[in-house]
Amino acid sequence: MGPRLKLFLPLILFAMLAITLFRGLSLDPSEMPSALIDRPFPVFNLPRLGGPGLLSQADLEGQVSLLNVWATWCVACRVEHPYLKQLAQRGIPLFGINYKDNDVAAQRWLDELGDPYRFNIADHEGTLGLDLGVYGAPETYLVDAKGVIRYRHVGVVDEGVWKTVLEPLYQTLTVESSAQ
């Protein structure tokens, strides 16, 4: 390597790093692809939060629904919780995965803030979350009537996300499932 090239090496490295960082800033962090899109919901047998018995993927089948990954330690989950209650009041089937949490704290949370979920899966060790590829809470999955994952949203579900992304997909899948 010539002496002149050595002078420009730091500049070249800086330019490469700047290009990489600039590209990273232009990416949308809420658009995280999932390898499970258009695949059946993972097989699981986990306890029901606040009740007896085990739940499995078969308990999710039969209707188009939203599956929300949440936890009491998740600040963003507290932000989205009131909107999830609104969706449940509108009749949207909503199921919860209480992710790596304490049952007592989770049940207290639901008692105090209201429970929008038809049932909650207690994923104490995060095994279902691992199978789903959960990055953290909150995450919401749109699951069709056959138990196939059709969409994944990372982050808070609010009116904007519901109206622009989830509701159109939910409506389409509901029409498709009633036609079959």
Side-chain angles (χ1 to χ4, degrees):
M1 184 182 305
R4 288 193 168 184
L5 187 58
K6 286 183 183 178
L7 290 173
F8 289 104
L9 188 60
L11 181 62
I12 293 169
L13 290 173
F14 174 77
M16 289 174 27
L17 181 62
I19 290 169
T20 303
L21 291 175
F22 182 75
R23 184 181 181 291
L25 290 174
S26 67
L27 298 175
D28 183 355
S30 67
E31 290 184 19
M32 294 183 167
S34 174
L36 295 178
I37 300 298
D38 296 330
R39 294 203 172 157
F41 200 84
V43 174
F44 69 92
N45 266 323
L46 290 170
R48 176 187 301 261
L49 178 68
L54 294 176
L55 297 166
S56 74
Q57 71 284 352
D59 293 306
L60 303 173
E61 296 174 7
Q63 62 191 337
V64 178
S65 59
L66 295 177
L67 210 87
N68 179 253
V69 179
W70 68 279
T72 59
W73 46 261
C74 166
V75 175
C77 297
R78 187 173 284 271
V79 171
E80 84 172 346
H81 194 80
Y83 193 73
L84 295 179
K85 288 188 341 186
Q86 289 178 27
L87 290 177
Q89 289 168 353
R90 294 181 205 169
I92 306 300
L94 187 60
F95 302 97
I97 300 175
N98 184 239
Y99 183 63
K100 294 184 176 182
D101 209 348
N102 175 284
D103 285 359
V104 173
Q107 195 58 56
R108 187 177 327 114
W109 161 297
L110 295 172
D111 292 342
E112 291 174 5
L113 301 178
D115 188 351
Y117 306 106
R118 296 197 176 175
F119 62 73
N120 269 288
I121 301 159
D123 189 13
H124 299 123
E125 303 300 318
T127 55
L128 180 55
L130 183 65
D131 290 344
L132 286 168
V134 168
Y135 288 93
E139 290 189 17
T140 303
Y141 295 82
L142 181 60
V143 180
D144 72 14
K146 294 178 182 174
V148 175
I149 297 172
R150 296 300 179 180
Y151 186 78
R152 172 186 181 202
H153 175 76
V154 176
V156 171
V157 172
D158 58 16
E159 184 77 20
V161 170
W162 174 251
K163 289 290 183 193
T164 60
V165 180
L166 291 172
E167 185 178 36
L169 292 169
Y170 175 82
Q171 299 284 353
T172 300
L173 291 171
T174 301
V175 168
E176 288 174 4
S177 71
S178 64
Q180 293 176 357

